[in-house]
């Protein structure tokens, strides 16, 4: 899935890297990713990750949970993707 709202095009598989670029350009700290949920057996694990960004002008960090995915990396990309959409809707981008 690709979104192109405004000037930044974001591919779901590349969202984590794109969020790092956005934070660097805005001089914000790097996003912090955490595993929120881990389900299933060893062969069929599912992950839900979150992304957290502390924007200096905001009192509390921005937090966004991603979709459930079969791999941790995909779950992190999902949370980054949702964070980018939220940043756009909140006029940070």
């Amino acid at each position: 899935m690709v979104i192109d709202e405004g000037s930044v095009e974001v591919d779901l598989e590349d969202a984590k890297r794109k969020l790092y670029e956005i934070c660097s350009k805005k001089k914000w700290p790097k996003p912090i990713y955490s595993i929120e949920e881990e389900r299933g057996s060893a062969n069929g694990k599912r992950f839900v990750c979150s992304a957290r960004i502390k924007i200096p002008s905001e009192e509390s960090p921005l937090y966004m949970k991603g979709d459930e995915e079969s791999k941790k990396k995909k779950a992190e990309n999902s949370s980054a993707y949702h964070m980018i959409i939220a940043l756009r809707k909140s006029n940070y981008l």
Side-chain angles (χ1 to χ4, degrees):
M1 178 184 293
V2 176
I3 58 172
D4 184 14
E5 297 175 16
S7 61
V8 182
E9 184 177 295
V10 179
D11 184 13
L12 182 59
E13 289 79 30
D14 201 28
K16 192 173 169 184
R17 183 189 62 77
K18 194 66 184 174
L19 186 56
Y20 276 122
E21 285 178 11
I22 290 167
C23 290
S24 178
K25 187 183 268 188
K26 296 276 192 180
K27 299 191 183 337
W28 296 340
K30 290 181 184 176
I32 297 169
Y33 296 93
S34 302
I35 296 174
E36 296 292 323
E37 298 173 33
E38 191 173 332
R39 301 181 194 153
S41 63
N43 293 344
K45 283 211 184 236
R46 306 287 292 173
F47 300 92
V48 176
C49 289
S50 65
R52 186 179 317 262
I53 299 174
K54 176 62 180 127
I55 297 176
S57 63
E58 294 298 320
E59 201 171 300
S60 58
L62 299 177
Y63 167 87
M64 187 59 59
K65 207 168 170 182
D67 300 321
E68 185 177 290
E69 297 288 349
S70 59
K71 295 187 183 332
K72 183 181 160 192
K73 184 176 178 179
K74 283 184 173 183
E76 288 175 344
N77 271 315
S78 174
S79 63
Y81 180 83
H82 287 290
M83 178 64 80
I84 292 168
I85 291 171
L87 288 169
R88 286 183 175 148
K89 287 182 178 179
S90 299
N91 294 320
Y92 285 106
L93 302 180

